[in-house]
Amino acid sequence: MEPNSVSEKENIDISSKKRFTYPVKELDFIVKWVERIYTNLGAGQYHPKEDIAKEFEVSPESIKSYLSTSQQYGLLELKHGIGYKITELFRKIYHPMNDKEQLISIVESLKTPEIFKFLFDEYENHIVPQLSGITNQLIRINNFKKPVAEKVAEIFLN
């Protein structure tokens, strides 16, 4: 059954969308954050969040959003009950064979979070709108609340 109006179609589209998680920081910040884990704790093994928190001299609860964002960008891998491990994608960004590999890896990382992949797909070969345009799209299509939509749009544009 086809919707009778544009507003009915929008309601169907909106209701069929799932909730997206989103990065809380820009990629360059998270790369530097993961770099500290890599440099001081190592790359070959899984590290419990308690060890990572100790490295940053904070409580494990205070780094949950950074750990989640690192996973969303594909820079840390989580093994439930064990800990977090540096990914090959991080190593390609941090120790690239050449500039091209680093650029390709950065783009791959930026497209890894679901919401950013959605936005990249939406704007591929199109002009990317200003902050307010992306914010409004996130509100209308993805049901984000305005403060969250603004933050996600800002991180995406940066």
PDB file of all heavy atoms in Angstrom, residues 2 22 27 32-33 38-39 41 45 50 57 60 67 76 82 95 113 119 127 132 147:
ATOM      1  N   GLU A   2       0.708   2.114  -0.963  1.00  0.00           N
ATOM      2  CA  GLU A   2       1.497   3.336  -1.094  1.00  0.00           C
ATOM      3  C   GLU A   2       0.954   4.435  -0.186  1.00  0.00           C
ATOM      4  O   GLU A   2      -0.258   4.574  -0.041  1.00  0.00           O
ATOM      5  CB  GLU A   2       1.457   3.837  -2.552  1.00  0.00           C
ATOM      6  CG  GLU A   2       2.251   2.995  -3.508  1.00  0.00           C
ATOM      7  CD  GLU A   2       3.725   3.043  -3.241  1.00  0.00           C
ATOM      8  OE1 GLU A   2       4.275   4.142  -3.081  1.00  0.00           O
ATOM      9  OE2 GLU A   2       4.340   1.961  -3.181  1.00  0.00           O
ATOM     10  N   TYR A  22      26.493   7.231  17.848  1.00  0.00           N
ATOM     11  CA  TYR A  22      27.290   8.239  17.175  1.00  0.00           C
ATOM     12  C   TYR A  22      28.582   8.494  17.937  1.00  0.00           C
ATOM     13  O   TYR A  22      28.637   8.347  19.158  1.00  0.00           O
ATOM     14  CB  TYR A  22      26.498   9.541  17.013  1.00  0.00           C
ATOM     15  CG  TYR A  22      25.995  10.091  18.323  1.00  0.00           C
ATOM     16  CD1 TYR A  22      26.760  11.005  19.048  1.00  0.00           C
ATOM     17  CD2 TYR A  22      24.784   9.693  18.849  1.00  0.00           C
ATOM     18  CE1 TYR A  22      26.321  11.491  20.261  1.00  0.00           C
ATOM     19  CE2 TYR A  22      24.327  10.182  20.055  1.00  0.00           C
ATOM     20  CZ  TYR A  22      25.102  11.084  20.757  1.00  0.00           C
ATOM     21  OH  TYR A  22      24.672  11.571  21.957  1.00  0.00           O
ATOM     22  N   LEU A  27      37.602  12.277  14.759  1.00  0.00           N
ATOM     23  CA  LEU A  27      38.548  11.195  14.512  1.00  0.00           C
ATOM     24  C   LEU A  27      39.952  11.546  14.975  1.00  0.00           C
ATOM     25  O   LEU A  27      40.623  10.725  15.604  1.00  0.00           O
ATOM     26  CB  LEU A  27      38.555  10.805  13.028  1.00  0.00           C
ATOM     27  CG  LEU A  27      39.532   9.699  12.649  1.00  0.00           C
ATOM     28  CD1 LEU A  27      39.218   8.400  13.377  1.00  0.00           C
ATOM     29  CD2 LEU A  27      39.540   9.489  11.151  1.00  0.00           C
ATOM     30  N   LYS A  32      44.548  10.140  18.497  1.00  0.00           N
ATOM     31  CA  LYS A  32      45.546  10.490  19.524  1.00  0.00           C
ATOM     32  C   LYS A  32      45.272   9.758  20.831  1.00  0.00           C
ATOM     33  O   LYS A  32      46.204   9.345  21.533  1.00  0.00           O
ATOM     34  CB  LYS A  32      45.570  12.003  19.741  1.00  0.00           C
ATOM     35  CG  LYS A  32      46.164  12.741  18.560  1.00  0.00           C
ATOM     36  CD  LYS A  32      46.050  14.229  18.723  1.00  0.00           C
ATOM     37  CE  LYS A  32      46.539  14.897  17.440  1.00  0.00           C
ATOM     38  NZ  LYS A  32      45.883  16.135  17.171  1.00  0.00           N
ATOM     39  N   TRP A  33      44.000   9.585  21.172  1.00  0.00           N
ATOM     40  CA  TRP A  33      43.619   8.887  22.396  1.00  0.00           C
ATOM     41  C   TRP A  33      44.043   7.416  22.312  1.00  0.00           C
ATOM     42  O   TRP A  33      44.636   6.874  23.243  1.00  0.00           O
ATOM     43  CB  TRP A  33      42.110   9.030  22.607  1.00  0.00           C
ATOM     44  CG  TRP A  33      41.632   8.649  23.961  1.00  0.00           C
ATOM     45  CD1 TRP A  33      41.660   9.408  25.094  1.00  0.00           C
ATOM     46  CD2 TRP A  33      41.033   7.403  24.339  1.00  0.00           C
ATOM     47  NE1 TRP A  33      41.113   8.713  26.145  1.00  0.00           N
ATOM     48  CE2 TRP A  33      40.719   7.485  25.704  1.00  0.00           C
ATOM     49  CE3 TRP A  33      40.727   6.240  23.638  1.00  0.00           C
ATOM     50  CZ2 TRP A  33      40.121   6.443  26.400  1.00  0.00           C
ATOM     51  CZ3 TRP A  33      40.129   5.199  24.325  1.00  0.00           C
ATOM     52  CH2 TRP A  33      39.833   5.303  25.691  1.00  0.00           C
ATOM     53  N   TYR A  38      48.114   2.471  22.535  1.00  0.00           N
ATOM     54  CA  TYR A  38      49.057   1.731  21.696  1.00  0.00           C
ATOM     55  C   TYR A  38      50.493   1.897  22.207  1.00  0.00           C
ATOM     56  O   TYR A  38      51.221   0.920  22.374  1.00  0.00           O
ATOM     57  CB  TYR A  38      48.934   2.237  20.258  1.00  0.00           C
ATOM     58  CG  TYR A  38      49.946   1.700  19.290  1.00  0.00           C
ATOM     59  CD1 TYR A  38      49.833   0.408  18.789  1.00  0.00           C
ATOM     60  CD2 TYR A  38      51.005   2.485  18.849  1.00  0.00           C
ATOM     61  CE1 TYR A  38      50.755  -0.092  17.879  1.00  0.00           C
ATOM     62  CE2 TYR A  38      51.933   2.002  17.941  1.00  0.00           C
ATOM     63  CZ  TYR A  38      51.802   0.707  17.460  1.00  0.00           C
ATOM     64  OH  TYR A  38      52.711   0.228  16.565  1.00  0.00           O
ATOM     65  N   THR A  39      50.875   3.125  22.479  1.00  0.00           N
ATOM     66  CA  THR A  39      52.244   3.429  22.894  1.00  0.00           C
ATOM     67  C   THR A  39      52.561   2.879  24.286  1.00  0.00           C
ATOM     68  O   THR A  39      53.631   2.317  24.503  1.00  0.00           O
ATOM     69  CB  THR A  39      52.479   4.955  22.877  1.00  0.00           C
ATOM     70  OG1 THR A  39      52.211   5.439  21.563  1.00  0.00           O
ATOM     71  CG2 THR A  39      53.895   5.304  23.260  1.00  0.00           C
ATOM     72  N   LEU A  41      50.490   0.747  26.371  1.00  0.00           N
ATOM     73  CA  LEU A  41      49.995  -0.567  26.771  1.00  0.00           C
ATOM     74  C   LEU A  41      50.288  -1.662  25.752  1.00  0.00           C
ATOM     75  O   LEU A  41      50.277  -2.837  26.091  1.00  0.00           O
ATOM     76  CB  LEU A  41      48.482  -0.513  27.039  1.00  0.00           C
ATOM     77  CG  LEU A  41      48.038   0.411  28.186  1.00  0.00           C
ATOM     78  CD1 LEU A  41      46.519   0.422  28.303  1.00  0.00           C
ATOM     79  CD2 LEU A  41      48.676   0.003  29.493  1.00  0.00           C
ATOM     80  N   GLN A  45      47.807  -7.353  22.433  1.00  0.00           N
ATOM     81  CA  GLN A  45      46.947  -8.045  23.387  1.00  0.00           C
ATOM     82  C   GLN A  45      45.720  -7.195  23.718  1.00  0.00           C
ATOM     83  O   GLN A  45      45.667  -6.023  23.406  1.00  0.00           O
ATOM     84  CB  GLN A  45      47.723  -8.399  24.664  1.00  0.00           C
ATOM     85  CG  GLN A  45      48.203  -7.204  25.472  1.00  0.00           C
ATOM     86  CD  GLN A  45      49.516  -6.600  24.994  1.00  0.00           C
ATOM     87  OE1 GLN A  45      50.007  -6.918  23.916  1.00  0.00           O
ATOM     88  NE2 GLN A  45      50.060  -5.694  25.765  1.00  0.00           N
ATOM     89  N   GLU A  50      39.801  -1.260  32.768  1.00  0.00           N
ATOM     90  CA  GLU A  50      40.408  -0.762  34.000  1.00  0.00           C
ATOM     91  C   GLU A  50      41.874  -0.367  33.774  1.00  0.00           C
ATOM     92  O   GLU A  50      42.330   0.651  34.300  1.00  0.00           O
ATOM     93  CB  GLU A  50      40.314  -1.820  35.115  1.00  0.00           C
ATOM     94  CG  GLU A  50      38.907  -2.110  35.581  1.00  0.00           C
ATOM     95  CD  GLU A  50      38.098  -3.034  34.662  1.00  0.00           C
ATOM     96  OE1 GLU A  50      38.691  -3.656  33.743  1.00  0.00           O
ATOM     97  OE2 GLU A  50      36.864  -3.103  34.842  1.00  0.00           O
ATOM     98  N   GLU A  57      44.553   7.843  34.085  1.00  0.00           N
ATOM     99  CA  GLU A  57      44.368   8.324  35.458  1.00  0.00           C
ATOM    100  C   GLU A  57      42.935   8.800  35.714  1.00  0.00           C
ATOM    101  O   GLU A  57      42.704   9.863  36.290  1.00  0.00           O
ATOM    102  CB  GLU A  57      45.390   9.415  35.798  1.00  0.00           C
ATOM    103  CG  GLU A  57      46.823   8.919  35.700  1.00  0.00           C
ATOM    104  CD  GLU A  57      47.858  10.006  35.958  1.00  0.00           C
ATOM    105  OE1 GLU A  57      47.496  11.168  36.206  1.00  0.00           O
ATOM    106  OE2 GLU A  57      49.045   9.660  35.879  1.00  0.00           O
ATOM    107  N   PRO A  60      37.156   3.877  35.181  1.00  0.00           N
ATOM    108  CA  PRO A  60      36.701   3.148  33.989  1.00  0.00           C
ATOM    109  C   PRO A  60      35.388   3.690  33.423  1.00  0.00           C
ATOM    110  O   PRO A  60      35.186   3.698  32.211  1.00  0.00           O
ATOM    111  CB  PRO A  60      36.546   1.713  34.487  1.00  0.00           C
ATOM    112  CG  PRO A  60      37.485   1.602  35.636  1.00  0.00           C
ATOM    113  CD  PRO A  60      37.470   2.950  36.288  1.00  0.00           C
ATOM    114  N   LEU A  67      35.863   4.791  24.575  1.00  0.00           N
ATOM    115  CA  LEU A  67      36.040   3.417  24.111  1.00  0.00           C
ATOM    116  C   LEU A  67      35.027   3.088  23.022  1.00  0.00           C
ATOM    117  O   LEU A  67      35.377   2.512  21.986  1.00  0.00           O
ATOM    118  CB  LEU A  67      35.892   2.435  25.280  1.00  0.00           C
ATOM    119  CG  LEU A  67      37.011   2.457  26.321  1.00  0.00           C
ATOM    120  CD1 LEU A  67      36.613   1.650  27.553  1.00  0.00           C
ATOM    121  CD2 LEU A  67      38.319   1.959  25.735  1.00  0.00           C
ATOM    122  N   LEU A  76      39.570   0.363  17.813  1.00  0.00           N
ATOM    123  CA  LEU A  76      39.691  -0.619  18.889  1.00  0.00           C
ATOM    124  C   LEU A  76      38.684  -1.728  18.643  1.00  0.00           C
ATOM    125  O   LEU A  76      37.571  -1.483  18.181  1.00  0.00           O
ATOM    126  CB  LEU A  76      39.400   0.003  20.260  1.00  0.00           C
ATOM    127  CG  LEU A  76      40.439   0.917  20.879  1.00  0.00           C
ATOM    128  CD1 LEU A  76      39.951   1.440  22.232  1.00  0.00           C
ATOM    129  CD2 LEU A  76      41.786   0.234  21.031  1.00  0.00           C
ATOM    130  N   ILE A  82      36.988  -9.592  28.170  1.00  0.00           N
ATOM    131  CA  ILE A  82      38.455  -9.617  28.118  1.00  0.00           C
ATOM    132  C   ILE A  82      39.019  -8.200  28.051  1.00  0.00           C
ATOM    133  O   ILE A  82      39.808  -7.806  28.880  1.00  0.00           O
ATOM    134  CB  ILE A  82      38.954 -10.423  26.890  1.00  0.00           C
ATOM    135  CG1 ILE A  82      38.289 -11.769  26.881  1.00  0.00           C
ATOM    136  CG2 ILE A  82      40.467 -10.430  26.838  1.00  0.00           C
ATOM    137  CD1 ILE A  82      39.122 -12.958  27.083  1.00  0.00           C
ATOM    138  N   HIS A  95      50.845   4.031  11.369  1.00  0.00           N
ATOM    139  CA  HIS A  95      52.086   3.610  10.700  1.00  0.00           C
ATOM    140  C   HIS A  95      51.801   3.265   9.244  1.00  0.00           C
ATOM    141  O   HIS A  95      51.918   2.102   8.836  1.00  0.00           O
ATOM    142  CB  HIS A  95      52.694   2.378  11.384  1.00  0.00           C
ATOM    143  CG  HIS A  95      53.207   2.603  12.754  1.00  0.00           C
ATOM    144  ND1 HIS A  95      54.245   3.448  13.045  1.00  0.00           N
ATOM    145  CD2 HIS A  95      52.818   2.064  13.941  1.00  0.00           C
ATOM    146  CE1 HIS A  95      54.483   3.430  14.343  1.00  0.00           C
ATOM    147  NE2 HIS A  95      53.623   2.602  14.914  1.00  0.00           N
ATOM    148  N   PRO A 113      31.492   4.489  11.440  1.00  0.00           N
ATOM    149  CA  PRO A 113      30.273   4.703  12.248  1.00  0.00           C
ATOM    150  C   PRO A 113      29.038   4.722  11.347  1.00  0.00           C
ATOM    151  O   PRO A 113      29.030   5.369  10.297  1.00  0.00           O
ATOM    152  CB  PRO A 113      30.492   6.086  12.880  1.00  0.00           C
ATOM    153  CG  PRO A 113      31.970   6.297  12.849  1.00  0.00           C
ATOM    154  CD  PRO A 113      32.443   5.593  11.606  1.00  0.00           C
ATOM    155  N   LEU A 119      25.535   9.439   6.242  1.00  0.00           N
ATOM    156  CA  LEU A 119      25.746  10.801   5.738  1.00  0.00           C
ATOM    157  C   LEU A 119      26.662  10.810   4.512  1.00  0.00           C
ATOM    158  O   LEU A 119      26.407  11.540   3.551  1.00  0.00           O
ATOM    159  CB  LEU A 119      26.296  11.706   6.841  1.00  0.00           C
ATOM    160  CG  LEU A 119      25.320  12.004   7.980  1.00  0.00           C
ATOM    161  CD1 LEU A 119      26.028  12.716   9.127  1.00  0.00           C
ATOM    162  CD2 LEU A 119      24.132  12.819   7.487  1.00  0.00           C
ATOM    163  N   ILE A 127      26.805  18.407  -3.004  1.00  0.00           N
ATOM    164  CA  ILE A 127      27.330  19.435  -2.121  1.00  0.00           C
ATOM    165  C   ILE A 127      26.854  19.142  -0.707  1.00  0.00           C
ATOM    166  O   ILE A 127      25.663  18.905  -0.481  1.00  0.00           O
ATOM    167  CB  ILE A 127      26.865  20.843  -2.566  1.00  0.00           C
ATOM    168  CG1 ILE A 127      27.458  21.156  -3.940  1.00  0.00           C
ATOM    169  CG2 ILE A 127      27.257  21.897  -1.543  1.00  0.00           C
ATOM    170  CD1 ILE A 127      26.922  22.430  -4.559  1.00  0.00           C
ATOM    171  N   SER A 132      23.469  23.512   9.769  1.00  0.00           N
ATOM    172  CA  SER A 132      22.023  23.483  10.026  1.00  0.00           C
ATOM    173  C   SER A 132      21.312  22.472   9.114  1.00  0.00           C
ATOM    174  O   SER A 132      20.355  21.817   9.535  1.00  0.00           O
ATOM    175  CB  SER A 132      21.407  24.873   9.859  1.00  0.00           C
ATOM    176  OG  SER A 132      21.577  25.328   8.532  1.00  0.00           O
ATOM    177  N   PRO A 147      20.026  18.824  20.257  1.00  0.00           N
ATOM    178  CA  PRO A 147      21.409  18.945  20.735  1.00  0.00           C
ATOM    179  C   PRO A 147      22.315  17.818  20.229  1.00  0.00           C
ATOM    180  O   PRO A 147      23.473  18.050  19.878  1.00  0.00           O
ATOM    181  CB  PRO A 147      21.289  18.899  22.259  1.00  0.00           C
ATOM    182  CG  PRO A 147      19.865  19.187  22.567  1.00  0.00           C
ATOM    183  CD  PRO A 147      19.074  18.766  21.375  1.00  0.00           C
TER     184      PRO A 147
END
